[in-house]
Amino acid sequence: MNATDKKPHVVILGGNFAGLGSAQKIRQYAGDAVQITVLDRKDYLLFVPNIPADVFENRNPAMHQRMELRDVLAHDQINFIQAEVNAIDVDSEVVHITPNERPGAAAVTLSYDYLVVALGNRLAFEDIEGFAEFGDSVSDLYLGEQLRQKLHFGGYKGGPIAIGSARFHQGDGAKGLEPYPGGSIPDALAACEGPPVEVMMAAAHYLAETKQGDPSKIT
Ligand SMILES: Cc1cc2nc3c(=O)[nH]c(=O)nc-3n(C[C@H](O)[C@H](O)[C@H](O)COP(=O)(O)OP(=O)(O)OC[C@H]3O[C@@H](n4cnc5c(N)ncnc54)[C@H](O)[C@@H]3O)c2cc1C
C-alpha cells in the first residue's frame, strides 16, 4: 500500500487479541479491497492468559509472553504504526495519534473510512480497598513480575491470601451484527471466573511446595 492508494482505509486501534483478530478477519473477508492499518503503543502481542503460569513457576513473563506484531501483520499486507492514540474525531473521521518510539515526536492525524476500536479496558485498581498497600495482579508484565519477585525471593510473609476478580460489563446489547453468532453482543454483568480459579490452585500448590501453609489460608 502507498499514500496514493484510494482503497477504503480500515484503521484498527489496538493490536492485541481483538485488534489483531479483527485485522486478520477483515483481510480474510475483504481481500485486497481495503487497506488496513493497526495502531498500538507497543509492537508486540501480549499473551495475557499465560502470565500467572510464569509467575507461579518462577519465570519472568516478559521473556515468554510476547509475540512480534510487525511480521505477522506484514504477512497479510497490514500496515502497523506504533503510536499512542490520543483522541478519535468521529465527525471528521480522523484519529489523533503520537508515534511513541522516541519521546517528543509530533502528533499526527490519521484519516479512516472504517474504524475498529480494540483498545481493551482500564483496570480500576484504585477502587479495590487496600490494593495499593497489599495488592498484586497477574494482568500485565510489570505487575506479574512484581508478584514473581515477592513469591520467589522472600517477599511473601505468610499471611492470608484473598483472590478475586471484580465484576464488569461485557457486551453492550448491540443488535444487527450478523454474521456475529446470534446477531447481537449480549450484555452480561459478570466477573471473569477462569483466572481466579487458576490463581487459587497455583497459590495452593505454591504454599504446599514452599511449606508455607495449606489452602485454608486462601479466600
Ligand atoms: C490472568 C488472566 C487470564 C486470562 N485468561 C483468559 C483466557 O483463558 N481466555 C480468554 O479468552 N481470556 C482470558 N483473559 C482475558 C483476556 O486476556 C482479555 O480479554 C484480552 O486480553 C482482551 O483483549 P483485547 O485485545 O480486547 O484488549 P487488550 O489485550 O487489553 O489489548 C488492548 C491493546 O490496546 C493497546 N492500547 C490501549 N490503549 C492504547 C492507546 N491509548 N494508544 C495505543 N494503544 C493502546 C494496548 O497496548 C493493547 O495492546 C485473561 C485475563 C487475565 C488478566
Side-chain angles (χ1 to χ4, degrees), residues 22-65:
S22 301
Q24 290 175 325
K25 280 295 171 191
I26 290 169
R27 176 59 79 217
Q28 181 186 338
Y29 287 123
D32 64 0
V34 295
Q35 57 166 323
I36 306 174
T37 302
V38 169
L39 279 109
D40 201 299
R41 59 166 63 114
K42 55 179 181 49
D43 64 354
Y44 57 87
L45 180 134
L46 174 58
F47 202 83
V48 182
N50 267 10
I51 294 175
D54 272 357
V55 168
F56 281 95
E57 290 167 23
N58 196 12
R59 294 185 298 267
N60 182 347
M63 299 300 150
H64 305 100
Q65 304 309 337

Side-chain angles (χ1 to χ4, degrees), residues 13-19 39-42 44 46 48-52 83-86 118-121 138-139 192 195 198-199:
L13 306 181
N16 225 53
F17 295 117
L39 279 109
D40 201 299
R41 59 166 63 114
K42 55 179 181 49
Y44 57 87
L46 174 58
V48 182
N50 267 10
I51 294 175
E84 187 72 21
V85 177
N86 303 322
L119 294 171
N121 54 21
V138 287
S139 56
C192 187
E198 184 187 345
V199 171

Side-chain angles (χ1 to χ4, degrees), residues 20 23-24 27-28 36 67-80:
L20 175 61
Q24 290 175 325
R27 176 59 79 217
Q28 181 186 338
I36 306 174
M67 181 188 79
E68 285 298 321
L69 269 181
R70 294 175 194 263
D71 287 351
V72 174
L73 292 171
H75 178 265
D76 287 324
Q77 293 79 50
I78 297 167
N79 307 315
F80 177 77

